[in-house]
Amino acid sequence: MKNGKRVQRVPIGARPPANPQAEAWVRVGEANDLDALARGEVYTARLTLDVTPALRGRIKVAAFTRGITVADMLRALLEREFPEQRP
């Protein structure tokens, strides 16, 4: 109620159908970059990890001092530690 009057809520409609072309464009990202394709960066999966606030702070400071994002720094670290095994 607003000022004693009942406010009518407007319902939110159903989610519009997805545009396959738009979604493909978003997923491709750097598809024109052949190195990105070779490294498998076009399609990614989210990894969630619980760390202490102190460790999170140290990670953020390390990334900042290197002038890169935390995500980029951790991806590079994981690539070094777990290189792709090619036959």
Side-chain angles (χ1 to χ4, degrees):
M1 286 190 163
K2 190 173 187 181
N3 297 330
K5 295 183 181 180
R6 183 166 225 148
V7 177
Q8 183 179 1
R9 293 184 180 212
V10 178
I12 297 175
R15 185 176 184 165
N19 180 338
Q21 290 176 323
E23 287 191 12
W25 177 78
V26 170
R27 290 184 199 283
V28 170
E30 299 177 349
N32 294 331
D33 180 1
L34 294 178
D35 289 335
L37 283 173
R39 291 189 308 263
E41 292 179 3
V42 174
Y43 300 104
T44 60
R46 184 159 310 273
L47 177 65
T48 303
L49 178 67
D50 294 326
V51 296
T52 64
L55 177 57
R56 178 177 179 260
R58 293 194 308 268
I59 292 169
K60 289 177 74 170
V61 168
F64 179 78
T65 58
R66 297 173 189 184
I68 59 175
T69 65
V70 169
D72 287 339
M73 184 180 74
L74 292 177
R75 282 186 201 107
L77 180 139
L78 291 170
E79 282 290 334
R80 278 194 315 271
E81 289 298 314
F82 306 100
E84 186 174 337
Q85 302 295 324
R86 296 191 182 200

